[in-house]
Amino acid sequence: MKAVLGVALTTLLLVVWVAVVFFGTSEGWWKRPLAPRGDTRAFMAAATRLVDAENKGNAVFALMEKGAVHAVHAVSVGESVDVNTVFQTASLSKWVTAWGVMALVEQGMLDLDAPISTYLTRWKLPASQFDNDKVTARRLLSHTAGLTDDLGYAGFKPGVAVQSLTASLGGPTDVSPGASGVIQVGSEPGSEWRYSGGGYAILQLLIEERSGESFEDYMQRVVFRPLGMDHSSYRWELEGDSTLATSYDEQSRPTVYDRFSAVAATSLYSSTADLTKFIQAHLPGENGERPGRGVLSPTVMTEMWRPHASKFGEEIWGLGTMLYARNGTSGFVVGHDGSNTPAINTAVRFDPATGNGIVVLETGRPVLATTLAGEWIFWETGNVDFLAFTMAAPGMFRLMGIGCLVIVLAVPTAWWFRRRGRGSRSDKVHA
């Protein structure tokens, strides 16, 4: 009976410990905001100190309040940067691409729930054991189409020929390390969330096929020009352009920009000023302009913010949009992050309910933008966003493991000492 009680006590302590560590990490029980909540000036000062201390290349970030730019900070180890300096934004590209896809829906040129094969002529999904007709634009946008490529594109160095889009879909030669790179249906469509750069390469082809234009021309005509994003492009002319930020590695050494076939997934070039305009386009304008600015309707934007995918029970993805954390008004803080080698990191997040947000573009540190944007969400909402939780997960699991080991060793040891103490007292009585 005593052994059973010991096992029960150990199990109870293990469950309690794991639960405390998990919820403490996910709910931020022992996390402190960078500044007192509601004190925008204090947050800006703290964020500036953080960026200046961590910067190894260049960075520009803008803090927004009620849809307006509240303050901007820029820093560089080399040539100066400002709100009009253009950065390569990596996977943040997908959010803007999603606007291009949804514009086709607005125009009646695309059914989100029709088989994607309905619209493609230049390339087809390879046959699989699953039903390819369940692969739809909705599922590609939300990373639930069952694609198992895990892309991740590493890109092509200057001077190296860039694959055509259809060749890349058939077998990309710039696969990131650790990714399969094979764009095929490898699990049941709709059954799980699994990040897929290949899905956005398919959406790039979809836009070209439905519009009859190149992807870049379509995005300029339908998204960038209507929103006034004059410093944005998926095909930036890199040579000799003074508005392009120097890319740095983690040792503050200048590096080259890679080129990509799947530009819709990873190669938007944009500026802090343009991305603040992009946030503002989600909100009513100062002069009564409608949200969406005629590119998308408020109804379609709301659909993009509706949860379409979850992970570990948490709703994390809409249509082309990350759902970072609950905003306290039955919605989410939304946006997208981007990261690419050697050290490009970008983050744009905003709360549709308040118009508050942050834009961070930087090179030289692989997670500085994501870290700062996560700090903003915790300061803004009191919630830990899912990327911050993901980054904290390795430490959380180590803490769980150490605590569990201590409990497994400590309970039997304490039990043994207790019995030994009783035995010693009993021997003295009998003596």
Side-chain angles (χ1 to χ4, degrees):
M1 177 63 72
K2 291 180 178 179
V4 172
L5 289 174
V7 171
L9 176 61
T10 301
T11 302
L12 176 62
L13 290 174
L14 289 173
V15 170
V16 170
W17 174 251
V18 169
V20 166
V21 174
F22 177 83
F23 287 107
T25 304
S26 64
E27 302 301 317
W29 288 351
W30 39 76
K31 184 176 173 61
R32 294 291 179 267
L34 284 186
R37 288 192 64 187
D39 191 338
T40 307
R41 182 174 297 180
F43 180 85
M44 187 67 194
T48 297
R49 289 193 296 271
L50 171 63
V51 169
D52 287 352
E54 295 293 327
N55 176 58
K56 295 294 183 182
N58 45 39
V60 183
F61 76 91
L63 199 61
M64 301 184 68
E65 273 197 327
K66 298 179 180 178
V69 177
H70 170 79
V72 175
H73 180 68
V75 62
S76 178
V77 299
E79 295 178 354
S80 62
V81 291
D82 60 29
V83 293
N84 291 316
T85 303
V86 172
F87 288 75
Q88 195 180 65
T89 66
S91 286
L92 195 154
S93 310
K94 295 179 177 68
W95 186 20
V96 182
T97 294
W99 265 55
V101 174
M102 298 306 286
L104 290 174
V105 176
E106 291 275 23
Q107 297 161 22
M109 299 175 66
L110 174 65
D111 181 343
L112 279 177
D113 298 306
I116 200 71
S117 58
T118 303
Y119 303 107
L120 303 181
T121 62
R122 290 159 49 194
W123 177 85
K124 295 290 186 182
L125 277 164
S128 74
Q129 67 185 65
F130 303 98
D131 185 355
N132 284 3
D133 282 346
K134 293 182 179 180
V135 176
T136 64
R138 184 186 300 276
R139 286 174 172 162
L140 291 172
L141 286 165
S142 58
H143 301 281
T144 58
L147 303 185
T148 55
D149 53 88
D150 297 320
L151 292 168
Y153 293 95
F156 301 90
K157 300 298 180 186
V160 177
V162 177
Q163 276 184 297
S164 69
L165 177 60
T166 51
S168 179
L169 286 165
T173 57
D174 61 333
V175 177
S176 291
S180 79
V182 179
I183 300 173
Q184 64 180 5
V185 182
S187 64
E188 180 65 26
S191 65
E192 63 175 347
W193 176 87
R194 186 161 177 171
Y195 195 76
S196 169
Y200 275 73
I202 296 173
L203 291 171
Q204 179 179 334
L205 180 62
L206 169 70
I207 284 175
E208 292 189 346
E209 296 241 33
R210 296 306 292 155
S211 69
E213 302 173 78
S214 72
F215 178 71
E216 166 65 13
D217 287 348
Y218 172 85
M219 293 300 292
Q220 287 290 343
R221 178 177 64 84
V222 173
V223 179
F224 297 142
R225 285 198 287 272
L227 300 187
M229 297 173 67
D230 299 328
H231 292 86
S232 297
S233 172
Y234 283 88
R235 294 287 188 191
W236 199 263
E237 295 297 332
L238 303 180
E239 302 300 331
D241 194 309
S242 60
T243 65
L244 185 67
T246 301
S247 180
Y248 291 94
D249 65 16
E250 292 184 75
Q251 287 72 47
S252 299
R253 297 175 303 206
T255 64
V256 299
Y257 280 102
D258 294 319
R259 292 157 165 83
F260 297 87
S261 304
V263 294
T266 195
S267 195
L268 170 68
Y269 292 85
S270 194
S271 67
T272 305
D274 272 14
L275 290 170
T276 58
K277 291 178 183 177
F278 187 64
I279 288 179
Q280 290 166 337
H282 291 77
L283 306 166
E286 291 182 353
N287 300 312
E289 301 93 339
R290 293 185 68 204
R293 302 299 188 270
V295 179
L296 300 182
S297 67
T299 300
V300 164
M301 287 189 299
T302 300
E303 179 67 8
M304 295 176 75
W305 303 334
R306 185 174 67 81
H308 282 73
S310 60
K311 193 74 171 177
F312 303 122
E314 290 294 323
E315 294 166 329
I316 63 169
W317 227 274
L319 296 180
T321 307
M322 292 185 182
L323 311 178
Y324 289 99
R326 296 280 179 177
N327 63 5
T329 59
S330 74
F332 296 87
V333 176
V334 303
H336 215 293
D337 281 40
S339 181
N340 217 333
T341 56
I344 293 172
N345 190 210
T346 61
V348 178
R349 308 183 188 182
F350 86 104
D351 182 353
T354 64
N356 299 341
I358 191 168
V359 176
V360 192
L361 305 179
E362 58 99 354
T363 71
R365 298 292 279 180
V367 294
L368 177 56
T370 295
T371 299
L372 177 56
E375 292 287 356
W376 176 80
I377 284 184
F378 189 68
W379 171 77
E380 173 78 7
T381 69
N383 296 321
V384 176
D385 75 71
F386 81 87
L387 282 186
F389 175 74
T390 301
M391 291 167 62
M396 177 188 71
F397 288 126
R398 282 194 299 270
L399 188 58
M400 284 180 180
I402 292 169
C404 288
L405 180 61
V406 170
I407 291 168
V408 168
L409 295 175
V411 172
T413 301
W415 198 274
W416 182 81
F417 273 112
R418 187 166 180 265
R419 291 187 62 189
R420 185 182 179 190
R422 286 180 174 178
S424 297
R425 288 194 297 273
S426 177
D427 289 344
K428 288 178 181 179
V429 170
H430 288 300

